[in-house]
Amino acid sequence: MCLMCLLGDVSETSRRRTTTIRNRIKCCLLNHSRRRRKQQHIRCFHHHSRPYQVSFKSVTMISSSFLRLVLLLCLVSSSFSTASLSNSTVADQTLRPQEELQKLKLIRQELQKINKPAVKTIQSSDGDTIDCVLSHQQPAFDHPLLLGQRPMDPPELPKGYIKEEESYEDSQLWSLSGEFCPKGTIPIRRTTEQDMLRASSVRRFGRKIRRVRRDSTSNGHEHAVGYVSGRQYYGAKASINVWSPRVSSQHEFSLSQIWVIAGSFTHDLNTIEAGWQISPELYGDTYPRFFTYWTSDAYRSTGCYNLLCSGFVQTNRRIAIGAAISPRSSYRGGQFDISLLIWKDPKHGHWWLQFGSGTLVGYWPAFLFTHLKQHGSMVQFGGEIVNNRPGGSHTSTQMGSGHFAGEGFGKASYFRNLQVVDWDNTLLPVSNLKILADHPNCYDIRGGTNRVWGNYFYYGGPGKNPRCP
């Protein structure tokens, strides 16, 4: 077994430790390749053995990344070894490096904060585990200003709100079985060790990478958005077409969302965000998922996705933030969208979120923010992707449907019925909508107005193509 080869004699000196581990990995690979040929047994365990003079192509052609993967798997396996081994200082240094132990410790501490005791557990067909948690025990109530409190009662809806004819509030994969959380609880997607291990940093898990300004792409973020500014905004509403765009790598994402923004883009940016996203790093798959986000300091140290920190207070027991959306749109096929409304409660000042037709999801408490305690100064609608420039060229991660705006309905992704909430809690059509595409040869946007869709736009694109090298 590979694990036995790697464990060997835990009393070897630190001077030979690195060489010995390397040789043991080679030994494991040789034993595996020779097992069927029943060749002479190779002694892997003797700590005085000289370094192997390996000439086998099957070993010499092994990449260093694969060797590291083998070693990592064995290190994880070794954490479940006997008590005597775990108590050995040499074993800790050799098989469980201090930084790995510290990372595992941090992960377990964070999981204890995020995952709360469940009254009921529901297994989703996409592999998610949904925990039904008492509403007053959700992560938001770990915040010092919310300790001992319970969720607020629903506020008054904005004047001029018209209920959508179609409702997709139950169209999440976890709920298709017909199971829901009992009254007094909320559904929370369980976070796993695997989720946190995919993150670039445990401390940054569940957070966006800091951006310098809205239209900056220096850190790989690219946008195609419509936006309004120059007034005081107390909310926004839109219907967002849902697709499953291709995301090229684990550390990239593609999303479509509404932003309510205040402050400067350099250091004190306040944002409230909601929409759908595909993020293999955050969720471990490529399903489009309903998400929320917030920050009060330009993504530096405050805020997070969904319920991954103390912030958003969920009040609904039938919507799981972070869960996969179903159905999704298809090229030249059925088109599906979700309606989202964000607005500021005139009485208490909290920012509420509604999903679908009259389904309140919850709210962002006003004390989370500085500028957004009063109002927003900009509203954005549109798409965003991360471009890590694999191989030095533009990513092929798609935005929206993966097709350019000019292809129109059934092919390009859209936002429709764009509205904002005015100072007197009234929904109004957006006026003076401006559109912006950071790299129009990669992702573009085209706006319009009609009697059925009101203010709308198509947006998106394929990323890398002959005009976007």
Side-chain angles (χ1 to χ4, degrees):
M1 296 292 292
C2 178
L3 178 58
M4 293 303 298
C5 288
L6 286 175
L7 291 179
D9 184 350
V10 298
S11 64
E12 61 205 12
T13 63
S14 58
R15 180 173 56 85
R16 298 187 178 184
R17 195 168 296 132
T18 303
T19 302
T20 302
I21 290 176
R22 185 186 300 113
N23 292 337
R24 285 173 181 164
I25 293 173
K26 293 177 181 178
C27 166
C28 298
L29 297 171
L30 284 170
N31 274 339
H32 178 72
S33 63
R34 287 185 166 191
R35 189 173 299 144
R36 293 184 180 179
R37 297 199 298 267
K38 298 182 178 179
Q39 291 193 3
Q40 183 181 4
H41 174 66
I42 301 177
R43 297 180 64 206
C44 304
F45 305 91
H46 200 289
H47 64 275
H48 294 301
S49 299
R50 298 179 62 189
Y52 294 105
Q53 302 299 319
V54 180
S55 61
F56 300 95
K57 291 184 178 180
S58 61
V59 175
T60 55
M61 294 179 67
I62 297 293
S63 68
S64 60
S65 60
F66 181 73
L67 291 177
R68 287 196 298 270
L69 175 60
V70 173
L71 178 57
L72 177 59
L73 291 173
C74 292
L75 287 173
V76 173
S77 298
S78 71
S79 65
F80 298 96
S81 189
T82 64
S84 60
L85 177 60
S86 64
N87 290 332
S88 169
T89 302
V90 177
D92 285 347
Q93 293 175 345
T94 305
L95 300 173
R96 300 189 300 169
Q98 189 61 36
E99 58 269 22
E100 291 297 325
L101 288 174
Q102 183 63 25
K103 185 174 183 179
L104 287 173
K105 181 180 178 181
L106 287 173
I107 287 175
R108 288 164 186 157
Q109 289 174 346
E110 290 300 312
L111 289 176
Q112 287 180 348
K113 295 178 184 177
I114 296 170
N115 294 325
K116 303 299 183 179
V119 173
K120 176 182 177 180
T121 296
I122 301 171
Q123 295 296 330
S124 175
S125 60
D126 61 349
D128 282 356
T129 299
I130 304 298
D131 290 326
C132 300
V133 176
L134 291 172
S135 60
H136 64 280
Q137 291 183 353
Q138 61 183 290
F141 290 97
D142 291 337
H143 196 287
L145 296 180
L146 290 178
L147 283 175
Q149 298 186 32
R150 292 179 179 268
M152 300 283 294
D153 292 330
E156 177 186 354
L157 281 166
K159 295 184 286 290
Y161 172 79
I162 300 175
K163 189 173 182 179
E164 299 283 334
E165 292 184 4
E166 294 182 278
S167 172
Y168 297 109
E169 59 260 33
D170 293 342
S171 295
Q172 292 187 302
L173 288 179
W174 74 276
S175 65
L176 295 182
S177 65
E179 284 196 81
F180 293 98
C181 288
K183 290 183 178 180
T185 69
I186 63 165
I188 301 180
R189 179 185 181 271
R190 184 183 298 175
T191 302
T192 66
E193 285 191 8
Q194 289 72 27
D195 291 333
M196 301 197 78
L197 285 169
R198 285 192 302 270
S200 57
S201 165
V202 175
R203 297 189 183 279
R204 295 294 302 175
F205 173 72
R207 296 179 179 177
K208 286 187 178 183
I209 298 173
R210 183 186 176 195
R211 291 170 293 173
V212 178
R213 48 194 296 254
R214 173 182 52 79
D215 56 352
S216 170
T217 60
S218 59
N219 63 356
H221 289 248
E222 299 183 18
H223 308 80
V225 297
Y227 66 96
V228 291
S229 59
R231 295 172 55 188
Q232 296 179 358
Y233 302 98
Y234 295 81
K237 183 179 184 294
S239 293
I240 310 174
N241 198 197
V242 180
W243 291 80
S244 294
R246 181 180 65 250
V247 175
S248 295
S249 76
Q250 176 176 299
H251 300 296
E252 296 182 340
F253 66 64
S254 181
L255 61 76
S256 298
Q257 68 174 41
I258 300 172
W259 292 260
V260 178
I261 299 170
S264 68
F265 286 95
T266 54
H267 63 282
D268 63 348
L269 180 71
N270 287 202
T271 72
I272 288 171
E273 307 171 23
W276 61 262
Q277 70 175 162
I278 292 179
S279 176
E281 179 178 38
L282 188 59
Y283 305 107
D285 57 34
T286 56
Y287 290 111
R289 293 173 175 270
F290 171 53
F291 82 97
T292 64
Y293 200 91
W294 67 276
T295 182
S296 61
D297 64 352
Y299 305 96
R300 289 184 295 179
S301 61
T302 62
C304 63
Y305 283 110
N306 308 331
L307 304 182
L308 295 176
C309 67
S310 298
F312 187 85
V313 178
Q314 183 164 336
T315 60
N316 188 281
R317 67 186 180 97
R318 299 173 71 89
I319 294 294
I321 304 176
I325 299 172
S326 179
R328 284 92 70 181
S329 302
S330 60
Y331 190 75
R332 292 182 175 174
Q335 300 298 300
F336 301 93
D337 54 40
I338 57 173
S339 177
L340 297 180
L341 166 64
I342 300 169
W343 84 102
K344 187 177 177 65
D345 174 11
K347 184 176 181 180
H348 299 287
H350 306 314
W351 291 86
W352 282 79
L353 172 64
Q354 179 174 285
F355 179 101
S357 182
T359 303
L360 288 178
V361 181
Y363 59 93
W364 292 270
F367 65 74
L368 294 175
F369 305 103
T370 53
H371 300 288
L372 282 176
K373 279 185 177 180
Q374 286 76 42
H375 53 76
S377 57
M378 176 184 288
V379 172
Q380 290 185 31
F381 312 84
E384 176 184 351
I385 64 96
V386 171
N387 173 24
N388 286 335
R389 298 195 63 81
S393 60
H394 195 283
T395 182
S396 56
T397 286
Q398 299 174 337
M399 180 189 292
S401 68
H403 294 265
F404 286 113
E407 294 194 42
F409 184 77
K411 301 175 183 178
S413 187
Y414 62 79
F415 277 64
R416 63 180 177 89
N417 294 325
L418 307 182
Q419 296 175 283
V420 293
V421 181
D422 206 353
W423 63 273
D424 61 349
N425 199 35
T426 301
L427 265 172
L428 301 171
V430 297
S431 58
N432 300 318
L433 180 72
K434 300 176 183 178
I435 57 176
L436 169 72
D438 294 331
H439 292 280
N441 289 333
C442 308
Y443 316 100
D444 67 354
I445 181 170
R446 294 186 183 184
T449 304
N450 63 36
R451 294 179 61 184
V452 178
W453 276 16
N455 289 280
Y456 70 89
F457 60 80
Y458 290 101
Y459 71 103
K464 184 179 180 180
N465 67 80
R467 296 188 297 128
C468 174

